[in-house]
Amino acid sequence: MPQSLFILRFNSSSVDAWKEQIVVHQKVFADLGAKKMLVSPSVMNNLPSVVLFVTLPSENKDAFLNFFQGDAAADVPPPVLESPLGKLLTAPVQIEEFQVDFELGYGGSKAMAGSAVLVCTLTLVCAYDDFKAIFFELKDQLYPGCSKAFVCRVGDDQVSYVVVFPASHLAAAKALHSSIKPTPIRSLIEEGQVKEVTSLEWYGLICAVDRDNYAGPEQKIKIFGRINDAKLAKLSAACEQLQRSQETFSADISGLIEAEFELVVKTMTATMPGKSKDHLRVHAGGPLVLCNGEYVGSIREFELWALERYQYADNTPEYMYRARGRKALAAYMEAQGEDADFVFLDLAVLGAENKADPINPRVIIQLHRATLPKTCENFLTLAEESYAGSPFHRVTNKAWIQGGAVGDESIYGGVLEDESFAYKHVGPGDVGMASTGPHSNATQFYITLDKLDWLDNKKVVFGRVVDGLKAVRQVGRAEVRGWNQRPLQTHYIASSGRLQAADLNKGRKEGALRTEGGPNDDEGRPPQGVREEGADAAAAVSSANDHQDQAERAALQLQKLGRGWKDRKRAKAMAATTLPREGPIAIPDVSADQLWAALSDWTGAGLVEQQFLSLCDLQGPPAIGSVRKLVTAEGMEIEETLLSNNAKHKCFSYAYTGPRAFLESQPFEECTMNWKVEADGEGCKVKCTAKYVLKAEQEYQAEAVEPMVVAIVEACCNHAKGVAP
């Protein structure tokens, strides 16, 4: 909007009264549209006078002039004599009007009060646009600490500007405007940019009013937010602008990792009244805004407050603030140096028709390498090489989610000792090693959903969630089997690896989807092969049940968590055995690969031979993460899933479900068989863990199943040796 600058000169000896009335009766000038008013004492015709500088929208200038001059054509006297200012003001002796071309500086009543003012008029030789570039270049040299400047074009070859700067620089500024001594102004004349300095007028302000830079009580803003949150970036930009333009506004902004942010918000709002206690829920984890120690809300409430108080609005596209959030996180990561590593986990869930649905956002974890170097290196290496495709096999509501069951040993071979208990369980987002007891860490990890301080000094906490607690909580809300806390739907790690600051601006890595008790390192490993191949979603993973001892511990934990008696009873009704009882069967003349192929081809046939099934239709060899369904004549379904296939061991499982008529004749409700084949010199060895959920009135009888398992193994061995079963 075009602005006009008026310089009015009044004969008056009461300068102090002028100052008082300008401040007290600001509304009179505000109604006229005045934005800035500067009052300075002066001398005119050897008499004391007052100079008033006023800027206002050009559309209001007629009403402003009528206020002081009246309307001569209509024979209306100046209304100023009848205004609330009383007879203090008289009609101005002189009025100068300028059209403001551009304005610089943020002004402010406090910043400008007591400042020096220069009104300078130059006759130009150069083009006006060239002079604007010169003014920008010389402004800070000629007027250090300039708080406000108005530049006005006058005719074709003249320019006038008004500059407000600290009075402490007045003597130096006068010296720099000499056209006799070598000065910047003299240089402009000699270089042919300026023809002459037409006029120089110096003043000292006694009063300043800036309606664009609101005075009044101090507004101290305190903001907490997630370091990479676009909303926090938008609030930061608003506060930066308001701190520059509003002298009574100050802000303190804290960008935190998500786990720390939630703790801070809960602590800050614990003693506050009303809805502030529900901030994280109501505002979906958005930034927390306080003003002078009082709760404001989040970004929406702040924007309404800033619009009402400062007329501040921001129409910047959101994607720019998302980019700014990523840069803030990258800067945080770089600032950690070698004291920390960062890992990403992209999570997914198998939905309808085994379609992999991404769980957003990406989970980013900070590892405390400086304190726990071995534990962090173990987790980082597994994230880069092994975790992709592995499920979260245990979820305890409001406690933790557990995953990473990809082997029995850490990357160092064997189990990893409890390196340090320096970090405690302080709240949601702690990342620790799941174990069966002291110094038994391997590959499994957990992420907490609440403060689990009862695990302090028992489990090793080695990291915290930087971002992605929303995804972690979605897994934590999964519906689970009551007796082993395994999700009914497969929630798994679609991709994982090291995250570096440079990766944040590149998007997700290729292959990722866009998208007593405690966590125990279970012996009965859950399946790991859930992977995305091309556009096809990964197939479901069978759910393998835990051994009896884990079931008992699960039942105890369920009891601690307040679960019902039915869950505990069901957990205790689970049984398992490893067959043969005397240990793995050693097969010296058959390689692991041979026996593996035999098991894959002949397990179903062996079940038919033992009259456990009457028909078995196997199609195609299994692949990691694949599921093959075997359908029997009775309508029984067997779900075969390949769990792992590497040089160290091979493992797959069979999960049996069927019609009620079939199950009524069996002692169990569910059954899973996990076969494990390991290389042993030139030969191999094999064992089978059979796990059952028993009916309430049944007791497990291993002798009823052992002969069948042994017969199947023998049939497979014979087939592997080239002998038909």
Side-chain angles (χ1 to χ4, degrees), residues 306-307 311-315:
L307 179 63
Q311 285 73 57
Y312 174 84
D314 185 358
N315 297 317

Short mmCIF file of all heavy atoms in Angstrom, two decimals, residues 306-307 311-315:
data_model
loop_
_atom_site.label_atom_id
_atom_site.label_comp_id
_atom_site.label_asym_id
_atom_site.label_seq_id
_atom_site.Cartn_x
_atom_site.Cartn_y
_atom_site.Cartn_z
N ALA A 306 -0.81 -13.96 17.38
CA ALA A 306 0.09 -13.05 16.66
C ALA A 306 -0.69 -12.19 15.67
O ALA A 306 -0.36 -11.01 15.45
CB ALA A 306 1.17 -13.84 15.94
N LEU A 307 -1.73 -12.76 15.06
CA LEU A 307 -2.54 -11.98 14.12
C LEU A 307 -3.30 -10.89 14.84
O LEU A 307 -3.37 -9.74 14.38
CB LEU A 307 -3.50 -12.91 13.39
CG LEU A 307 -4.44 -12.25 12.38
CD1 LEU A 307 -3.65 -11.61 11.24
CD2 LEU A 307 -5.44 -13.27 11.82
N GLN A 311 -0.85 -8.27 13.93
CA GLN A 311 -1.27 -8.37 12.53
C GLN A 311 -0.26 -9.20 11.71
O GLN A 311 0.01 -8.92 10.54
CB GLN A 311 -1.43 -6.98 11.89
CG GLN A 311 -2.69 -6.24 12.34
CD GLN A 311 -2.57 -5.75 13.77
OE1 GLN A 311 -1.66 -5.01 14.09
NE2 GLN A 311 -3.50 -6.14 14.62
N TYR A 312 0.28 -10.23 12.36
CA TYR A 312 1.26 -11.09 11.68
C TYR A 312 0.55 -12.29 11.08
O TYR A 312 -0.24 -12.96 11.74
CB TYR A 312 2.33 -11.58 12.65
CG TYR A 312 3.28 -12.58 12.04
CD1 TYR A 312 4.38 -12.16 11.29
CD2 TYR A 312 3.06 -13.95 12.18
CE1 TYR A 312 5.24 -13.07 10.71
CE2 TYR A 312 3.92 -14.88 11.60
CZ TYR A 312 5.00 -14.43 10.87
OH TYR A 312 5.85 -15.35 10.29
N ALA A 313 0.82 -12.56 9.82
CA ALA A 313 0.29 -13.74 9.13
C ALA A 313 1.38 -14.31 8.23
O ALA A 313 2.25 -13.57 7.74
CB ALA A 313 -0.95 -13.39 8.33
N ASP A 314 1.35 -15.60 8.03
CA ASP A 314 2.39 -16.28 7.24
C ASP A 314 1.72 -17.17 6.21
O ASP A 314 0.99 -18.10 6.56
CB ASP A 314 3.27 -17.12 8.18
CG ASP A 314 4.45 -17.75 7.44
OD1 ASP A 314 4.54 -17.58 6.22
OD2 ASP A 314 5.26 -18.42 8.09
N ASN A 315 1.97 -16.88 4.93
CA ASN A 315 1.41 -17.67 3.84
C ASN A 315 2.47 -18.50 3.12
O ASN A 315 2.27 -18.94 1.99
CB ASN A 315 0.70 -16.76 2.84
CG ASN A 315 -0.47 -16.02 3.46
OD1 ASN A 315 -1.26 -16.61 4.21
ND2 ASN A 315 -0.61 -14.74 3.17
#
